[in-house]
Amino acid sequence: MKPTATTEFIPTGKVKPISEIENIESLVERYRTRVFRFIFASIRDLDTAETLTQDCFWKAHQHRSSFRGDCSVHTWLLRIAINLVRDHVRTKRFQFWKKAELVPSHELVNWPDCGISPEEQSDISDQVNTIWKASGSLSERQRTVFILRYIEDLEIHEIAESTGLSESSVNVHLVRAVRNIRRRLGATK
Amino acid sequence: MSRHPLEEHFAECFVNSSVTPEQLHHIRQCLKCREELQQFEGMIALLRDTVRTGVDERLCERPSQLGRPAPAVRRLEHTPGLVWKWALAAAVVVSIGMLPLVFQSWQGRQGRRPASPGLNSDQDAAALMESINIHVSRDLPAPMEPLMLVVRQVQPKQ
């Protein structure tokens, strides 16, 4: 006799976290920083990043019924964010008369006074600024993969899920991104 | 171990992608390679910390409005850019469409100009007065002619 209702254990990772997606406020509270950070690191414009983050959550809320639960909510939101960033970059290509004020890394943070000398601070700031600039000059896909791996600390399979690329493709883009950044660093030294 | 794999395969070694066991072994053993990798790793970590701290600070400064999505307001926020684009495109199309009409009317104005463009307005006025005078001097006596005949007829009797 076949059981009419399953009483088997269902792994929580595969269950559609309906409540998490339904409640927009808790969704925003939980993922806002990560989504905003990714978008900001991709486009380097605070106002646009804020707008695109809003768009991301708005789209997620609109299309919540299409979420199948085959990946985590974070990955799903990142996928939407990646598409929004891609659309923004493509639109921006045709808006050459608009100049966004991009944030340089030295304006991003005030270095806390943690016992390092101003010279050391300046040196560190220069290094970070160089990588920040270099990552900005990467191709869209390389930058996305680089940010997801080294700023968002995602694993290769998570990046593959978010970007829709295969894991080997992610690795290839990552290698190229690191190579280009290192080349830039070498050029500035 | 004379050749350092990092010289050619730094990115592969850093990403840990397609690195041979020999290369890995070399990196573990070689102080120079290890230092180089650690230095780059440190810079990436610094960038990560900088971006994270910076974004956290910015987000604290800007309270979120994301919890309250208002589609109507959002659509309005999005429209000005779009309206301007369409308005600009429409203006360009209209002005291109108007070009033949403007050109035609300009040509027409050119054709209606007098043959003697050298005359100024004073000369025009003088010529006009002269023609009026000629006309008046020829026409005015006409109605008086019968009266003059009567006068002539009357004069011999006196």
Side-chain angles (χ1 to χ4, degrees):
Chain A
M1 201 171 98
K2 281 183 181 175
T4 50
T6 180
T7 51
E8 285 173 0
F9 170 71
I10 300 167
T12 47
K14 295 288 176 189
V15 173
K16 187 172 174 176
I18 295 166
S19 58
E20 197 179 7
I21 293 179
E22 287 298 327
N23 190 349
I24 180 85
E25 284 191 17
S26 69
L27 192 74
V28 170
E29 204 175 318
R30 193 160 176 197
Y31 296 103
R32 180 192 176 211
T33 310
R34 280 184 272 181
V35 171
F36 178 80
R37 198 165 54 209
F38 166 72
I39 295 176
F40 170 67
S42 300
I43 57 173
R44 286 124 201 257
D45 176 6
L46 283 167
D47 291 331
T48 315
E50 182 86 7
T51 310
L52 290 185
T53 309
Q54 267 187 317
D55 283 351
C56 180
F57 284 104
W58 176 239
K59 280 199 168 185
H61 189 67
Q62 266 186 321
H63 301 287
R64 60 191 182 278
S65 57
S66 66
F67 178 63
R68 296 187 299 274
D70 52 359
C71 61
S72 69
V73 178
H74 182 216
T75 307
W76 181 58
L77 286 172
L78 276 178
R79 205 179 292 167
I80 299 171
I82 289 168
N83 287 333
L84 283 169
V85 167
R86 191 180 301 150
D87 288 347
H88 172 78
V89 170
R90 280 176 192 170
T91 316
K92 218 179 135 196
R93 271 186 213 152
F94 298 102
Q95 295 178 337
F96 51 88
W97 62 89
K98 274 190 185 176
K99 269 206 166 181
E101 280 190 24
L102 304 183
V103 179
S105 67
H106 59 83
E107 276 184 21
L108 203 59
V109 68
N110 297 318
W111 292 98
D113 184 21
C114 49
I116 51 173
S117 66
E119 289 82 18
E120 280 173 323
Q121 275 186 23
S122 159
D123 193 34
I124 290 168
S125 187
D126 281 349
Q127 287 179 1
V128 171
N129 205 24
T130 310
I131 301 185
W132 178 250
K133 273 186 189 169
S135 64
S137 66
L138 294 174
S139 76
E140 186 198 314
R141 196 158 275 181
Q142 285 176 16
R143 188 170 55 234
T144 302
V145 168
F146 179 82
I147 290 167
L148 290 177
R149 180 76 186 103
Y150 295 115
I151 293 179
E152 290 305 309
D153 253 347
L154 294 191
E155 294 297 328
I156 298 291
H157 71 89
E158 289 175 307
I159 301 172
E161 276 181 358
S162 304
T163 53
L165 297 169
S166 65
E167 287 188 22
S168 57
S169 252
V170 170
N171 267 322
V172 168
H173 286 299
L174 213 49
V175 166
R176 284 181 190 162
V178 170
R179 200 178 288 154
N180 285 338
I181 286 176
R182 198 148 179 275
R183 200 174 295 150
R184 282 290 189 104
L185 282 175
T188 52
K189 269 179 189 174
Chain B
M1 216 188 275
S2 61
R3 195 172 173 83
H4 298 284
L6 282 192
E7 284 168 8
E8 285 177 10
H9 306 285
F10 180 89
E12 286 85 350
C13 294
F14 184 75
V15 174
N16 213 357
S17 153
S18 59
V19 185
T20 61
E22 290 81 35
Q23 286 172 337
L24 263 181
H25 180 73
H26 173 96
I27 291 163
R28 280 194 201 119
Q29 299 294 318
C30 177
L31 187 69
K32 187 187 169 226
C33 289
R34 241 187 6 235
E35 266 183 7
E36 207 172 332
L37 271 179
Q38 277 170 354
Q39 194 190 354
F40 191 73
E41 223 166 57
M43 283 162 82
I44 296 284
L46 267 174
L47 176 73
R48 178 168 50 236
D49 290 348
T50 309
V51 172
R52 287 186 171 206
T53 319
V55 165
D56 286 349
E57 278 179 6
R58 300 278 172 156
L59 283 179
C60 288
E61 284 169 15
R62 296 172 173 220
S64 172
Q65 296 293 317
L66 299 173
R68 293 169 227 97
V73 176
R74 290 193 46 70
R75 252 175 234 134
L76 275 176
E77 279 173 3
H78 274 274
T79 43
L82 202 66
V83 166
W84 274 111
K85 274 182 213 162
W86 281 110
L88 189 70
V92 168
V93 169
V94 167
S95 53
I96 288 170
M98 291 285 282
L99 269 177
L101 289 175
V102 171
F103 186 67
Q104 252 180 354
S105 68
W106 180 74
Q107 266 188 332
R109 239 180 275 156
Q110 287 280 342
R112 260 182 268 132
R113 274 195 179 177
S116 54
L119 286 175
N120 57 27
S121 60
D122 288 343
Q123 284 171 328
D124 283 347
L128 184 69
M129 277 307 292
E130 199 179 339
S131 71
I132 287 170
N133 283 341
I134 290 164
H135 184 74
V136 168
S137 63
R138 201 182 59 215
D139 284 359
L140 260 183
M144 292 178 77
E145 274 171 9
L147 190 66
M148 292 302 289
L149 284 172
V150 172
V151 171
R152 275 183 207 148
Q153 282 171 2
V154 170
Q155 268 179 352
K157 283 180 184 176
Q158 284 177 348

